[in-house]
Amino acid sequence: MTRMVKVHRVPMRHPADMAGIEALFAARAVDPAHIVAILGKTEGNGCVNDFTRAYAVSALATMLAAHLGTTPAVVAERVAMVMSGGTEGGLAPHFILFSVTETDAAPTGALAIGTAFTPEFRPEELGRMAQVEATAAAVRAAMADAGIADVADVHYVQVKCPLLTSERIAEAEARGATVATHDTYRSMGLSRGASALGVALALGEVAAEKLSDAVIGEDFRLWSGVASASAGVELTRNEVVVLGNSKAWAGGLRIAHDVMQDGIDLPAVQRALAAAGLQAPGQLTETQRGRLAALLAKAEPSSSGRIRGNRHIMNDDSDINATRHARALVGGVAAAATGRTDLFISGGAEHQGPDGGGPVAVIVES
């Protein structure tokens, strides 16, 4: 028997809207027992207090537990549920379901998926080498789970990572420990950055001797071209999803990626689409849009305050967080390329692509 991935993109009316997923179960299009990962774009602010992520995870775990005859805690242990807050601009809230089945069909070099989880982190480990090394180990485990031996076959690694809250900081300091930062918002970037560098370490994109606590969130010359890390308050471990192509997997889905050099790098999006079999001089046609199973990208305002020489104000806006601006910008570029708005655009790209840019991956039905 050969493994095969199925991908379903489901719109949501609110973070706890399970109706679309329930409809897939009722139609027998998806077996809940076969789900290994769920990614979601929820409509919160994407910052420290964005509880739409936790709300969605809770609803998903409760719903799946009812179908599987188990508890939400057991579901959370076996299914990677990665919610990314923020659907600014025209981005549409949605879930992406990944399920794995077995088939008699011959392997086709198709999309492969593997998942793994780190141990629970103590607050003082976030944004530091302990998180880097644990993430690297989880990436290697997820690659093994996916049956991917060659790092060149890995095209996207999604990590959901924790952040620091005032309560978590106080708990650590009560034990005499020190944390990487007392700024809870900055802790999101440090956690994402450490997670991304863990991906880079596992895939050989950055050498181990170049890594230390001091470079995390500081030396942005070090980055991964396939990492996507999203921080949230709803967990205390890293959840890792590795996506790539494998000669051992069957099906018609394939994944490809590229790296955006800045927030308006439309050619990078088009190169990724073309590499996966969707080549178009402009926006995808209606038929091509139907073959696009998912687009996943990172968004980050450049620290220079400029895009191709022109000044931007994303880092200076005291009303709207810079990552929210960036999601809207990259979401618009990706939507223009694809003709779709149900796109997984995640903000905060520390060590994920070059400064101001980020990885973009597409999953396409052949």
Side-chain angles (χ1 to χ4, degrees), residues 3 9 61 78 84 92 105 108 110 115 137 143 164 176 184 229 256 278-279 296 298 343 354 365:
R3 288 186 290 176
R9 189 165 32 182
R78 59 179 280 191
S84 172
T108 57
T115 62
M143 286 178 63
L164 290 173
T184 57
L278 289 180
Q279 191 158 0
L296 313 111
K298 289 301 298 187
L343 309 169
E365 181 74 51

mmCIF file of all heavy atoms in Angstrom, residues 3 9 61 78 84 92 105 108 110 115 137 143 164 176 184 229 256 278-279 296 298 343 354 365:
data_model
loop_
_atom_site.group_PDB
_atom_site.id
_atom_site.type_symbol
_atom_site.label_atom_id
_atom_site.label_comp_id
_atom_site.label_asym_id
_atom_site.label_seq_id
_atom_site.Cartn_x
_atom_site.Cartn_y
_atom_site.Cartn_z
ATOM 1 N N ARG A 3 1.051 5.532 0.593
ATOM 2 C CA ARG A 3 0.380 6.663 1.244
ATOM 3 C C ARG A 3 0.071 7.778 0.250
ATOM 4 O O ARG A 3 0.805 7.987 -0.712
ATOM 5 C CB ARG A 3 1.249 7.208 2.384
ATOM 6 C CG ARG A 3 1.321 6.304 3.591
ATOM 7 C CD ARG A 3 2.067 6.955 4.736
ATOM 8 N NE ARG A 3 3.491 7.093 4.473
ATOM 9 C CZ ARG A 3 4.339 7.708 5.292
ATOM 10 N NH1 ARG A 3 3.883 8.282 6.404
ATOM 11 N NH2 ARG A 3 5.632 7.777 5.005
ATOM 12 N N ARG A 9 -9.534 22.710 1.399
ATOM 13 C CA ARG A 9 -9.582 24.085 1.905
ATOM 14 C C ARG A 9 -11.037 24.411 2.218
ATOM 15 O O ARG A 9 -11.919 24.269 1.367
ATOM 16 C CB ARG A 9 -9.011 25.024 0.845
ATOM 17 C CG ARG A 9 -8.797 26.431 1.292
ATOM 18 C CD ARG A 9 -7.902 27.195 0.340
ATOM 19 N NE ARG A 9 -8.022 26.781 -1.059
ATOM 20 C CZ ARG A 9 -7.304 27.288 -2.048
ATOM 21 N NH1 ARG A 9 -6.402 28.199 -1.787
ATOM 22 N NH2 ARG A 9 -7.466 26.882 -3.279
ATOM 23 N N ALA A 61 -10.578 20.477 18.230
ATOM 24 C CA ALA A 61 -10.290 19.313 19.065
ATOM 25 C C ALA A 61 -11.569 18.701 19.615
ATOM 26 O O ALA A 61 -11.724 17.473 19.655
ATOM 27 C CB ALA A 61 -9.355 19.715 20.203
ATOM 28 N N ARG A 78 -2.278 14.066 18.770
ATOM 29 C CA ARG A 78 -2.032 13.335 17.523
ATOM 30 C C ARG A 78 -2.215 14.183 16.263
ATOM 31 O O ARG A 78 -1.704 13.827 15.203
ATOM 32 C CB ARG A 78 -2.947 12.107 17.425
ATOM 33 C CG ARG A 78 -4.431 12.414 17.477
ATOM 34 C CD ARG A 78 -5.292 11.174 17.348
ATOM 35 N NE ARG A 78 -5.411 10.749 15.961
ATOM 36 C CZ ARG A 78 -6.271 9.819 15.550
ATOM 37 N NH1 ARG A 78 -7.033 9.194 16.414
ATOM 38 N NH2 ARG A 78 -6.354 9.506 14.272
ATOM 39 N N SER A 84 -3.068 30.510 12.446
ATOM 40 C CA SER A 84 -2.350 31.763 12.225
ATOM 41 C C SER A 84 -3.364 32.896 12.244
ATOM 42 O O SER A 84 -4.274 32.945 11.407
ATOM 43 C CB SER A 84 -1.617 31.713 10.875
ATOM 44 O OG SER A 84 -1.058 32.970 10.556
ATOM 45 N N ALA A 92 -9.173 35.759 3.268
ATOM 46 C CA ALA A 92 -10.383 35.078 3.721
ATOM 47 C C ALA A 92 -10.059 34.069 4.815
ATOM 48 O O ALA A 92 -9.162 33.239 4.643
ATOM 49 C CB ALA A 92 -11.052 34.353 2.547
ATOM 50 N N ALA A 105 -2.637 2.497 -5.635
ATOM 51 C CA ALA A 105 -2.021 3.169 -6.769
ATOM 52 C C ALA A 105 -0.498 3.199 -6.620
ATOM 53 O O ALA A 105 0.047 3.181 -5.513
ATOM 54 C CB ALA A 105 -2.555 4.596 -6.883
ATOM 55 N N THR A 108 3.909 8.212 -7.205
ATOM 56 C CA THR A 108 4.020 9.184 -8.298
ATOM 57 C C THR A 108 4.983 10.328 -7.983
ATOM 58 O O THR A 108 5.072 11.283 -8.753
ATOM 59 C CB THR A 108 2.635 9.787 -8.601
ATOM 60 O OG1 THR A 108 2.114 10.387 -7.408
ATOM 61 C CG2 THR A 108 1.666 8.724 -9.112
ATOM 62 N N ALA A 110 4.612 12.269 -5.300
ATOM 63 C CA ALA A 110 3.611 13.272 -4.946
ATOM 64 C C ALA A 110 3.899 13.928 -3.602
ATOM 65 O O ALA A 110 4.898 13.656 -2.936
ATOM 66 C CB ALA A 110 2.237 12.621 -4.927
ATOM 67 N N THR A 115 4.554 14.929 10.549
ATOM 68 C CA THR A 115 4.365 15.818 11.692
ATOM 69 C C THR A 115 5.195 15.336 12.879
ATOM 70 O O THR A 115 5.533 14.156 12.982
ATOM 71 C CB THR A 115 2.886 15.896 12.118
ATOM 72 O OG1 THR A 115 2.441 14.586 12.526
ATOM 73 C CG2 THR A 115 2.014 16.399 10.977
ATOM 74 N N ALA A 137 15.350 18.851 15.926
ATOM 75 C CA ALA A 137 15.086 17.428 16.154
ATOM 76 C C ALA A 137 13.684 17.060 15.687
ATOM 77 O O ALA A 137 13.477 15.988 15.088
ATOM 78 C CB ALA A 137 15.259 17.099 17.634
ATOM 79 N N MET A 143 10.401 14.705 8.995
ATOM 80 C CA MET A 143 10.891 14.226 7.701
ATOM 81 C C MET A 143 10.863 12.700 7.647
ATOM 82 O O MET A 143 10.452 12.107 6.641
ATOM 83 C CB MET A 143 12.307 14.734 7.436
ATOM 84 C CG MET A 143 12.408 16.196 7.081
ATOM 85 S SD MET A 143 14.137 16.715 6.829
ATOM 86 C CE MET A 143 14.601 15.706 5.403
ATOM 87 N N LEU A 164 5.717 34.236 25.220
ATOM 88 C CA LEU A 164 5.743 34.562 26.639
ATOM 89 C C LEU A 164 4.564 35.462 27.002
ATOM 90 O O LEU A 164 4.203 36.364 26.247
ATOM 91 C CB LEU A 164 7.045 35.284 26.996
ATOM 92 C CG LEU A 164 8.325 34.450 26.954
ATOM 93 C CD1 LEU A 164 9.541 35.356 27.159
ATOM 94 C CD2 LEU A 164 8.300 33.342 27.992
ATOM 95 N N GLY A 176 13.828 31.497 39.740
ATOM 96 C CA GLY A 176 15.177 32.019 39.602
ATOM 97 C C GLY A 176 15.696 31.993 38.178
ATOM 98 O O GLY A 176 16.888 32.246 37.943
ATOM 99 N N THR A 184 6.297 40.943 25.831
ATOM 100 C CA THR A 184 5.559 39.762 25.361
ATOM 101 C C THR A 184 5.405 39.752 23.848
ATOM 102 O O THR A 184 5.437 38.682 23.231
ATOM 103 C CB THR A 184 4.173 39.680 26.031
ATOM 104 O OG1 THR A 184 3.443 40.879 25.769
ATOM 105 C CG2 THR A 184 4.323 39.475 27.532
ATOM 106 N N ALA A 229 6.981 30.060 10.626
ATOM 107 C CA ALA A 229 6.702 29.912 12.050
ATOM 108 C C ALA A 229 5.641 30.910 12.480
ATOM 109 O O ALA A 229 5.695 32.085 12.127
ATOM 110 C CB ALA A 229 7.976 30.109 12.869
ATOM 111 N N ALA A 256 5.691 23.089 -4.514
ATOM 112 C CA ALA A 256 6.891 23.794 -4.950
ATOM 113 C C ALA A 256 6.989 25.077 -4.142
ATOM 114 O O ALA A 256 6.004 25.537 -3.546
ATOM 115 C CB ALA A 256 6.831 24.107 -6.444
ATOM 116 N N LEU A 278 1.594 25.470 -12.672
ATOM 117 C CA LEU A 278 0.593 26.502 -12.965
ATOM 118 C C LEU A 278 1.290 27.736 -13.514
ATOM 119 O O LEU A 278 1.510 28.723 -12.811
ATOM 120 C CB LEU A 278 -0.194 26.871 -11.709
ATOM 121 C CG LEU A 278 -1.179 25.834 -11.185
ATOM 122 C CD1 LEU A 278 -1.881 26.341 -9.938
ATOM 123 C CD2 LEU A 278 -2.215 25.463 -12.245
ATOM 124 N N GLN A 279 1.641 27.681 -14.773
ATOM 125 C CA GLN A 279 2.350 28.784 -15.399
ATOM 126 C C GLN A 279 1.361 29.703 -16.092
ATOM 127 O O GLN A 279 0.517 29.257 -16.872
ATOM 128 C CB GLN A 279 3.374 28.267 -16.411
ATOM 129 C CG GLN A 279 4.325 29.343 -16.893
ATOM 130 C CD GLN A 279 5.617 28.770 -17.441
ATOM 131 O OE1 GLN A 279 5.806 27.564 -17.461
ATOM 132 N NE2 GLN A 279 6.514 29.632 -17.883
ATOM 133 N N LEU A 296 0.822 29.165 0.637
ATOM 134 C CA LEU A 296 1.291 29.453 1.991
ATOM 135 C C LEU A 296 2.500 30.379 1.902
ATOM 136 O O LEU A 296 3.450 30.078 1.171
ATOM 137 C CB LEU A 296 1.668 28.148 2.703
ATOM 138 C CG LEU A 296 0.633 27.010 2.574
ATOM 139 C CD1 LEU A 296 1.207 25.894 1.699
ATOM 140 C CD2 LEU A 296 0.218 26.463 3.918
ATOM 141 N N LYS A 298 4.978 33.747 3.923
ATOM 142 C CA LYS A 298 5.334 34.581 5.070
ATOM 143 C C LYS A 298 5.372 36.043 4.662
ATOM 144 O O LYS A 298 5.642 36.377 3.506
ATOM 145 C CB LYS A 298 6.700 34.183 5.621
ATOM 146 C CG LYS A 298 6.725 32.856 6.329
ATOM 147 C CD LYS A 298 5.770 32.794 7.515
ATOM 148 C CE LYS A 298 6.110 33.795 8.597
ATOM 149 N NZ LYS A 298 5.257 33.613 9.822
ATOM 150 N N LEU A 343 -5.956 32.376 1.187
ATOM 151 C CA LEU A 343 -4.518 32.131 1.139
ATOM 152 C C LEU A 343 -3.956 32.168 2.558
ATOM 153 O O LEU A 343 -4.357 33.010 3.368
ATOM 154 C CB LEU A 343 -3.828 33.198 0.282
ATOM 155 C CG LEU A 343 -4.433 33.437 -1.110
ATOM 156 C CD1 LEU A 343 -3.830 34.689 -1.740
ATOM 157 C CD2 LEU A 343 -4.235 32.225 -1.998
ATOM 158 N N PRO A 354 14.789 36.395 3.467
ATOM 159 C CA PRO A 354 15.586 37.607 3.712
ATOM 160 C C PRO A 354 14.760 38.693 4.377
ATOM 161 O O PRO A 354 13.520 38.647 4.360
ATOM 162 C CB PRO A 354 16.030 38.021 2.300
ATOM 163 C CG PRO A 354 14.957 37.475 1.411
ATOM 164 C CD PRO A 354 14.521 36.184 2.038
ATOM 165 N N GLU A 365 -2.835 20.554 -7.748
ATOM 166 C CA GLU A 365 -3.321 19.282 -8.286
ATOM 167 C C GLU A 365 -2.922 19.190 -9.746
ATOM 168 O O GLU A 365 -3.187 20.110 -10.528
ATOM 169 C CB GLU A 365 -4.847 19.214 -8.166
ATOM 170 C CG GLU A 365 -5.476 17.933 -8.660
ATOM 171 C CD GLU A 365 -5.239 16.763 -7.718
ATOM 172 O OE1 GLU A 365 -5.508 16.911 -6.514
ATOM 173 O OE2 GLU A 365 -4.787 15.702 -8.205
#
